[in-house]
Amino acid sequence: MKTFLLGTVFGLGLAAGPTFAADLSYPVKAPPIAAVPVFSWTGFYIGANVGFGGDKFNYPFQAFQRQLQAEAPALESSIAGNLNLNSSGFFGGGQIGYNYQFANNVVAGIEADFEWSGIEGKLAGAALFTAPGVVGNASFDIGSEIEWFGTVRGRLGYTWDRVLLYATGGAAYGKVKSHASFNANGLIGPLPAVISASDTQWGWTAGAGLEYALAPNWSFKTEYLYVDLGSHTLFNNTVNDVANGFFSSASMDVSTKLHTVKAGVNYRF
């Protein structure tokens, strides 16, 4: 009887063994988690931009005339002033540069750009002036145009992953073409009838920008720059007739300053 019971229990245990084993769970190794690539601004880039700019062309000028007279005071007349002419226009071009991102998310770089420009300002008008015993009319037509300009700048900023905020500054250059015509009835001179001057001017620039990475290699940027291209002489004439006791001089300079706002895209490689 005992033998029968032991055999029955043993048989039931063997029959149930596979069922219990099937219910047991085994540890399963989790699949590896793919690492998210960390975005970096380090590398060379090239891009294009369009923008709008302008401010003022500044024209400081002076004219003086003296005629000596026998047994009488010399006749003198003069005029001096500073003419400010508003400027505005669109521009477009391209840029190339290099960024390096440090471990603390500071980004340093250098950029050079070149812009074809339609920024210009023009003014025409007339004025009434007086000299001892004389009243006359004067008319003028004056204007300047920035045909092209560019900058070479350092950039320093801070990045929050794909967003880069930066300050920038450096050298600026540009070709400024100016013209002027005057008619003062010969009372104050020497004022050339028509003047035209074109000069490549150098100056400085400073500003700030914001850039956002749209994709691993593409980014969109907006940027503000203040540009000061310095000044050049439009004309400077002198007449000194000692024999007849006559002296006259006239001069005018042109200084160029502008604010620019632009948007563009960059491709990094």
Side-chain angles (χ1 to χ4, degrees), residues 1-15:
M1 185 64 180
K2 292 181 179 179
T3 303
F4 175 76
L5 292 173
L6 289 172
T8 303
V9 172
F10 182 72
L12 290 174
L14 292 175

Side-chain angles (χ1 to χ4, degrees), residues 49-56 87-93 111 113-120 146 148-151 153 166 168 172-173 204-210 221-229 256-263:
N49 69 82
V50 293
F52 184 84
D55 186 19
K56 288 182 175 64
S87 63
S88 63
F90 291 93
F91 63 87
E111 179 175 297
D113 61 14
F114 182 87
E115 315 290 346
W116 293 106
S117 169
I119 299 173
E120 64 178 356
I146 302 174
W148 49 260
F149 69 96
T151 67
R153 296 172 282 113
Y166 62 90
T168 182
Y173 60 94
W204 60 275
T205 181
L210 180 68
K221 65 178 287 185
T222 59
E223 186 176 79
Y224 162 81
L225 290 178
Y226 174 77
V227 180
D228 185 340
L229 292 177
T256 305
K257 300 176 176 63
L258 64 151
H259 302 269
T260 69
V261 178
K262 61 184 174 183

